Amino acid sequence: MAAVKFEQAMARLEAIVGELEKGDLPLDESLKIFEEGIRLSKNCLKVLEEAEHKVEVLVQDKNGKKQLRAFSLDDDDADAASLES
């Protein structure tokens, strides 16, 4: 499952939710795909956390030095404004 791409995992999660919402599966099949969904969800969360860490590591300050800091939308707006100048 580790080789499953994020987008594929999300698509499968959406399909699982749709199947479960219909409510026409037998209980054992519902449990089986629910467990699959939990595994996929954990995998997606891990991928997102790794991506977030990469963003934090790669953010640079104004002098070009890398600084470890969390990304925020305010930073993105400030960067866009500096590019427009």
Side-chain angles (χ1 to χ4, degrees), residues 10-73:
M10 288 298 296
R12 178 62 183 143
L13 275 171
E14 289 176 8
I16 288 171
V17 168
E19 291 177 49
L20 291 172
E21 285 179 341
K22 286 181 190 175
D24 57 0
L25 293 174
L27 180 60
D28 59 333
E29 184 65 23
S30 293
L31 286 173
K32 180 180 173 184
I33 67 169
F34 179 79
E35 289 173 353
E36 179 187 357
I38 294 296
R39 285 190 301 272
L40 288 168
S41 175
K42 288 180 180 181
N43 187 358
C44 287
L45 182 60
K46 180 181 175 190
V47 170
L48 288 172
E49 287 172 347
E50 289 172 357
E52 180 181 21
H53 178 70
K54 287 179 184 179
V55 168
E56 288 174 343
V57 169
L58 294 175
V59 172
Q60 294 182 352
D61 68 9
K62 291 180 172 118
N63 297 322
K65 285 182 66 177
K66 292 180 184 174
Q67 285 188 318
L68 181 60
R69 61 186 171 102
F71 174 80
S72 74
L73 291 176

